[in-house]
Amino acid sequence: MASKDLCVNEVHAPNFHSNGSVINGHTTKDQSRDARVHSCPVSGPEGIVTILLRHKGQFFKALLEPDAVDDSSLDEAKSLTVESLVRVTGSFANGTGLTNTTNDDIAVSVVTCHVKKLAVLSQAKPGPLHNLSLHGAPNEAVPPSHSRGALFEKRLDNRLLDARVASTAAIFKLFSGVHELAVDFLRKRDFYHVPTPALVNYEFPGEEDDLFSVPYFDRTARLAPTGEIHLGMALSADLERVYDCHTVFRREPASDGRHLTEFTMLEMVFNLKNDWTEILDLADNLLVSIIQSLQQLEKYITLTNTAHRLYPGAGTFQLGLDQNGKLFRVTFKEAKAILRNSLGLKSNDQDDFTREEEAALGRFLASSDTHLGKPTDVFILTHFPRHLRACNIYIAEEDETTTQSFDVILRGQECITGCRLLHSYQELHKAFTTRSHPIDPDSPEWRPYMEAHEIGMPPWGGFGLGINRLVQGFWGLTDIRETVLFPRDAARLIP
């Protein structure tokens, strides 16, 4: 990019702060910055070399003037390749604000650096894939929103370069923030972290195709699809309130933007004092706490603003709460009636919600057309029918055809599933042996779980939160693989 291209469409540029170097446009003492080379160096009049650099979404116009830098720095600058990592030392001052050539007409501020020394930290190999045209640099055309989906497989194939885009990196930082907020929430409520094994020996009959089997010495092990079994056993050891945030594995055959074969679950179980609504309330409070923190804390607001340039759904999430600060709750049967009566869909009470039905409910409750409360992008479905839930879930007291279970639907797809689980050994034994695909409670793989109930299991329950789904829904990401730096689905094992 020629140096003349760096002085168009002048607008107000925000103040650049870094270690107190520049405030209100005033240059201070020399400082050093590490940055990536965004475009090839350009030699201009009087031997001045101009380089466009970037760091975390901030752009730097580095000027190397022959009478201000040593010869070695000037020579190094002229041979720089795109994506090389350099350290520049000099005086920094706010430059112009430039408008990049996107449909969004976004102003980009450029900081000017009068370089006194330049050191190459790492020289990048030249390559055509280095520039994915998503950084939003001045005078750089960013593909419009409707055509970015076609770039996604290319981005995944070049994931490390893609992650250098500030909007992409913001997703992974938000993911980390959700983990941080959730763990802090649980710590304040006396939960203890209990790591659960990734290798297990049990399986659920009739569901073998959902699990990955792997050789384990002289026998076969499976990759854990949940930590619930071992977390439950921890309650039998009187730990009372436990959680794990871990990788789980499912044999999801579809590469549909909604499923991963390897994803992150936050799972927690705890002793119940009264009834199953304690589980509902904890899930409600946790999710509201996380979302409000993401919407109100400055560091997450900054991430949202960074992401919005490529992901227009970022910052639009609606958290509609009732007068008690709770999420909207609707029973399974009531939700089915909404689908039929308010949305005109044919939906049977005996069938689980389809993907389309979940999405339709989500759109309705998020719209101004809803008559059920404030528009919201997240709500709770309760009292799922017995035949749609696991055999070891408590039956609802008010309706024996339903269960003490729930799902949280966030932007049209489930992100939390929870329930109260049987704690009586006799009831669990009967549930296992009478399910459609019976479990042998005396088999070696199930004996530890059964023994946990034999020796006295407290009344208990809990839920699992899919962090990938939460991040995807909160920012309205199209593909769940965008939430993972190194995603794994049915079609992808690289990078």
Side-chain angles (χ1 to χ4, degrees):
M1 183 178 295
S3 57
K4 64 179 180 180
D5 290 335
L6 295 171
C7 55
V8 294
N9 300 329
E10 188 167 321
V11 295
H12 175 71
N15 290 334
F16 171 63
H17 298 270
S18 182
N19 298 328
S21 62
V22 178
I23 300 178
N24 297 324
H26 298 294
T27 304
T28 62
K29 63 183 181 179
D30 293 345
Q31 294 166 75
S32 294
R33 296 283 183 274
D34 293 351
R36 292 280 176 186
V37 176
H38 187 76
S39 57
C40 293
V42 175
S43 297
E46 302 177 354
I48 298 175
V49 177
T50 303
I51 315 170
L52 186 63
L53 306 175
R54 70 167 196 277
H55 179 66
K56 296 182 179 179
Q58 172 70 67
F59 293 94
F60 304 81
K61 182 175 69 172
L63 300 177
L64 289 86
E65 301 165 287
D67 59 351
V69 298
D70 56 79
D71 291 341
S72 63
S73 294
L74 204 59
D75 291 340
E76 292 266 36
K78 292 177 181 178
S79 61
L80 283 173
T81 53
V82 173
E83 294 301 321
S84 293
L85 186 62
V86 300
R87 178 170 296 156
V88 293
T89 302
S91 58
F92 290 80
N94 281 355
T96 57
L98 308 177
T99 305
N100 60 10
T101 52
T102 68
N103 295 336
D104 302 318
D105 199 38
I106 299 172
V108 180
S109 66
V110 178
V111 173
T112 299
C113 174
H114 293 274
V115 179
K116 294 186 178 178
K117 184 173 180 57
L118 180 144
V120 179
L121 301 181
S122 181
Q123 182 89 343
K125 178 182 178 181
L129 296 177
H130 279 180
N131 192 351
L132 294 171
S133 299
L134 295 173
H135 289 281
N139 301 297
E140 181 178 88
V142 175
S145 300
H146 66 269
S147 67
R148 290 175 198 157
L151 289 173
F152 191 52
E153 294 300 330
K154 176 183 175 183
R155 290 170 54 197
L156 290 182
D157 289 339
N158 300 273
R159 195 54 159 160
L160 301 185
L161 291 170
D162 180 47
R164 292 178 184 177
V165 176
S167 295
T168 302
I171 300 173
F172 312 135
K173 294 174 183 177
L174 184 83
F175 191 104
S176 177
V178 170
H179 175 269
E180 173 187 330
L181 292 167
V183 169
D184 189 55
F185 177 95
L186 295 173
R187 177 186 59 79
K188 292 176 179 176
R189 287 157 182 80
D190 297 325
F191 275 82
Y192 294 94
H193 178 219
V194 173
T196 56
L199 291 166
V200 298
N201 71 335
Y202 65 81
E203 67 180 12
F204 296 92
E207 302 173 26
E208 296 90 347
D209 290 343
D210 295 337
L211 306 183
F212 288 104
S213 297
V214 295
Y216 191 72
F217 300 103
D218 60 347
R219 55 196 184 279
T220 298
R222 295 160 190 89
L223 298 180
T226 177
E228 174 194 303
I229 300 298
H230 289 88
L231 288 174
M233 288 192 286
L235 297 187
S236 185
D238 288 343
L239 289 178
E240 296 188 351
R241 298 166 76 83
V242 296
Y243 77 93
D244 193 11
C245 188
H246 58 137
T247 300
V248 295
F249 304 87
R250 308 275 171 86
R251 283 182 62 92
E252 299 286 358
S255 298
D256 56 3
R258 178 184 171 98
H259 295 96
L260 293 165
T261 55
E262 179 181 354
F263 55 97
T264 303
M265 285 284 287
L266 174 69
E267 295 184 280
M268 65 213 67
V269 299
F270 57 100
N271 294 6
L272 299 179
K273 304 299 182 184
N274 297 300
D275 57 45
W276 81 289
T277 60
E278 296 168 44
I279 310 167
L280 265 174
D281 289 339
L282 184 70
D284 191 321
N285 294 339
L286 170 64
L287 197 55
V288 169
S289 174
I290 290 173
I291 292 173
Q292 287 181 334
S293 295
L294 296 178
Q295 291 179 328
Q296 296 171 9
L297 296 182
E298 184 61 34
K299 67 177 179 177
Y300 301 121
I301 293 173
T302 299
L303 289 176
T304 297
N305 292 338
T306 300
H308 186 265
R309 189 179 60 77
L310 291 184
Y311 304 99
T316 64
F317 192 89
Q318 301 175 101
L319 181 63
L321 305 177
D322 65 16
Q323 64 272 19
N324 298 314
K326 298 293 185 182
L327 296 173
F328 174 70
R329 299 180 186 182
V330 59
T331 67
F332 183 95
K333 290 181 179 179
E334 291 169 342
K336 287 286 186 174
I338 292 171
L339 288 171
R340 292 190 294 265
N341 301 333
S342 297
L343 301 181
L345 300 177
K346 294 181 180 180
S347 187
N348 192 311
D349 284 357
Q350 297 305 306
D351 297 331
D352 205 350
F353 294 102
T354 65
R355 179 176 180 176
E356 292 72 24
E357 288 174 340
E358 284 184 345
L361 276 173
R363 287 191 300 270
F364 176 68
L365 292 174
S367 73
S368 57
D369 295 332
T370 180
H371 57 278
L372 301 171
K374 297 178 181 178
T376 184
D377 283 311
V378 57
F379 62 95
I380 302 178
L381 291 169
T382 67
H383 296 84
F384 279 73
R386 291 176 62 179
H387 68 279
L388 296 178
R389 284 304 196 236
C391 67
N392 59 332
I393 295 179
Y394 254 86
I395 297 170
E397 295 178 357
E398 60 272 34
D399 183 354
E400 291 189 353
T401 67
T402 67
T403 56
Q404 298 181 15
S405 65
F406 64 94
D407 280 358
V408 177
I409 308 299
L410 188 144
R411 279 224 168 126
Q413 61 180 357
E414 170 262 320
C415 76
I416 290 179
T417 293
C419 61
R420 180 183 177 185
L421 291 151
L422 298 177
H423 67 279
S424 162
Y425 168 77
Q426 290 78 14
E427 291 181 359
L428 180 62
H429 190 284
K430 180 180 178 181
F432 273 10
T433 55
T434 59
R435 74 195 291 263
S436 56
H437 296 278
I439 292 174
D440 179 3
D442 295 317
S443 62
E445 59 264 33
W446 283 106
R447 281 309 301 156
Y449 187 67
M450 297 304 298
E451 287 173 358
H453 292 73
E454 283 180 323
I455 62 177
M457 173 72 82
W460 70 294
F463 58 90
L465 163 63
I467 296 184
N468 303 87
R469 288 268 180 94
L470 172 55
V471 171
Q472 180 188 14
F474 181 67
W475 273 353
L477 307 178
T478 302
D479 196 310
I480 197 167
R481 292 177 297 172
E482 291 180 297
T483 67
V484 191
L485 182 56
F486 304 115
R488 293 291 180 264
D489 67 0
R492 181 169 290 275
L493 269 175
I494 58 170

